[in-house]
Amino acid sequence: MPRPTFTRSLLAPMHWPAWLGVGVIWLIAHLPRSWLMGLGRGLGWLVQRVPSPRRHIAEVNIGLCFPELSAKDQAELVDAHLRDIGLMMMEFALGWMGSERSIAKVPVTIEGLEHLETALAQGKGVLLVGGHFSHLELCARLVSQRIRISGMYRRMDSPVFEWAVLRARLDYAEAMFEKDDIRGTVKHLRNGGTLWYAPDQDMRSKDNVFVPFFGVPAATITATHHLARLSGARVIPFYHRRLPGNAGYALKLGAPLEQFPSKDTLEDTARVNVCIEDMVRAAPEQYLWVHKRFKTRPDGATSVY
């Protein structure tokens, strides 16, 4: 995939604040990892204590998804998640712009590569299905040290960040496809490619269906079913979590979903949500609870936010 083209228009004064932001991210990414994680914990301490509408969103989501927890335990999970956001910012910086030497020093274990190798040996593409966790960008880069992967992404509003981040991603990813590029992703999968994809956000798409997510009807995109149906790719759950302290990350490729896709789009989409639920339960504070996952509601249902 060609790297993004740099144009002189990106140097216009209106883009200077964005360039400053890119420079700060680059500097953070080149700190020693212990410093970087310490900075993230300090930033998380601040995020937890500064009033923000995002706290309310996290409280609603966690209350809906973990009704079995006491009010005290729910509040503790909200606080833990808000602290985790500080680490998320550092991990995005490291994932995007950290040097190969720095990435190679990050402790990581990867289980289940045999599932991917078997699929590729059969001439099948692989759709790695994951969720929006705080460390998703960094873990995608970590797994790319062992396997060739591509990804799907949403174009950034800032042309400077779009150029800088896409360029950085293409240093380790085989290709990056915009979220609406179904034709390109299907062709890639048919040719035996491996694509990382996270279908767990409320995309407000015409291809949404309502299926349970932690028992709550959630508007969920059906693209996993359609991509598998059109390409013949194997669908493999991709788990990743941050270990306590500075112990690094645990990555796991699950067994391919059996009889997927089926003829039932609704059932397949619900199965994908069950996989993501399992990922969340393994590290609940690391999931992106500040996203309005239940913003789109079934007809007649009131807003939860």
Side-chain angles (χ1 to χ4, degrees):
M1 182 176 183
R3 294 163 69 85
T5 303
F6 182 87
T7 61
R8 290 179 60 87
S9 63
L10 293 175
L11 298 177
M14 64 181 293
H15 295 312
W16 290 357
W19 281 115
L20 178 62
V22 169
V24 169
I25 291 172
W26 187 91
L27 288 172
I28 289 173
H30 286 76
L31 291 173
R33 194 173 74 91
S34 60
W35 293 17
L36 185 144
M37 299 304 281
L39 181 61
R41 292 186 184 96
L43 182 59
W45 180 90
L46 185 63
V47 170
Q48 180 196 341
R49 284 158 177 79
V50 174
S52 166
R54 293 293 174 180
R55 171 179 281 277
H56 172 67
I57 296 169
E59 289 172 343
V60 170
N61 286 337
I62 288 172
L64 289 170
C65 294
F66 294 98
E68 71 278 10
L69 296 181
S70 68
K72 179 177 179 292
D73 289 342
Q74 288 182 8
E76 289 178 352
L77 180 53
V78 170
D79 285 342
H81 171 61
L82 294 175
R83 291 194 299 271
D84 195 75
I85 289 176
L87 292 172
M88 176 181 72
M89 294 178 181
M90 301 302 109
E91 288 165 329
F92 265 85
L94 182 59
W96 283 340
M97 299 185 182
S99 67
E100 288 297 325
R101 183 178 179 182
S102 296
I103 295 297
K105 291 181 178 179
V106 177
V108 59
T109 61
I110 306 178
E111 296 181 39
L113 284 174
E114 67 274 10
H115 299 305
L116 178 119
E117 292 165 352
T118 297
L120 296 180
Q122 295 171 346
K124 299 291 185 179
V126 172
L127 193 57
L128 293 179
V129 173
H132 281 80
F133 290 81
S134 55
H135 35 68
L136 65 90
E137 194 82 32
L138 176 56
C139 288
R141 186 165 177 188
L142 289 172
V143 80
S144 75
Q145 295 179 302
R146 300 288 297 276
I147 60 177
R148 292 172 60 82
I149 65 167
S150 299
M152 295 187 77
Y153 77 106
R154 181 183 298 178
R155 179 175 287 270
M156 296 187 173
D157 294 332
S158 165
V160 169
F161 272 92
E162 173 65 18
W163 178 84
V165 173
L166 181 56
R167 181 174 179 271
R169 283 168 167 163
L170 287 174
D171 280 340
Y172 67 87
E174 186 174 7
M176 294 298 299
F177 299 96
E178 290 192 52
K179 63 182 181 65
D180 295 324
D181 186 6
I182 301 300
R183 178 178 296 180
T185 54
V186 168
K187 181 179 179 180
H188 179 71
L189 290 168
R190 282 179 175 173
N191 290 334
T194 299
L195 182 76
W196 184 92
Y197 179 56
D200 62 325
Q201 291 198 334
D202 189 339
M203 305 295 290
R204 293 195 158 225
S205 166
K206 65 180 180 179
D207 295 322
N208 280 349
V209 293
F210 284 100
V211 293
F213 185 61
F214 284 92
V216 183
T220 307
I221 194 166
T222 60
T224 308
H225 164 89
H226 293 301
L227 287 172
R229 177 178 58 83
L230 293 170
S231 69
R234 297 286 187 257
V235 176
I236 291 180
F238 179 34
Y239 302 78
H240 45 91
R241 60 188 176 92
R242 184 192 313 109
L243 300 174
N246 288 328
Y249 302 84
L251 281 55
K252 177 183 175 183
L253 278 63
L257 299 186
E258 296 183 0
Q259 298 180 347
F260 193 104
S262 70
K263 295 181 179 179
D264 191 330
T265 305
L266 203 68
E267 179 182 343
D268 286 350
T269 307
R271 288 182 66 190
V272 170
N273 273 4
V274 169
C275 289
I276 296 172
E277 285 181 31
D278 291 342
M279 299 174 192
V280 174
R281 292 185 190 280
E285 76 284 356
Q286 298 173 25
Y287 189 62
L288 195 63
W289 295 113
V290 293
H291 168 69
K292 291 185 177 181
R293 183 64 185 90
F294 306 106
K295 184 175 184 178
T296 302
R297 301 289 287 154
D299 291 341
T302 58
S303 172
V304 296
Y305 301 111

